[in-house]
Amino acid sequence: MREYFPEGTAGKPFEASPELWEDFEGCKLAAIANAEAADNLNNAAMSGNKGDVFEALKQTAATCSGCHKVYRLN
C-alpha cells in the first residue's frame, strides 16, 4: 500500500483522506479484503456460473466502495 500512498500524499492529486494515515492498518486490511474479493471474482468468472459471478461482483464492489468511503477524499 505504501507504494500507492507514500507519506505526504494526502490530498490532491492523490485523493487520499487523512484517515488513511490515521488508520493505515485498517486501510491495509481493506486492501487485503479487496484483493481476496477480486480473486473470488476471477474464480467465479472462470467457473462460468453466472450466479456466482454476480455475487462475487457485488462483494468486490462492496470492498471498493467501503474503502473509498473511508480513505478517499472524493
Side-chain angles (χ1 to χ4, degrees), residues 3-73:
E3 61 269 11
Y4 295 115
F5 299 106
E7 288 200 49
T9 58
K12 295 191 182 240
F14 301 97
E15 300 179 351
S17 166
E19 183 70 25
L20 185 141
W21 300 112
E22 294 167 11
D23 182 26
F24 197 76
E25 288 303 312
C27 185
K28 288 189 332 188
L29 292 174
I32 291 168
N34 177 257
E36 289 172 354
D39 284 343
N40 290 339
L41 177 58
N42 182 59
N43 292 336
M46 298 299 276
S47 78
N49 182 309
K50 290 181 183 180
D52 288 349
V53 171
F54 181 71
E55 286 303 314
L57 181 58
K58 287 190 332 187
Q59 291 174 1
T60 303
T63 64
C64 292
S65 63
C67 189
H68 284 197
K69 286 178 185 175
V70 177
Y71 303 111
R72 186 174 172 186
L73 289 174

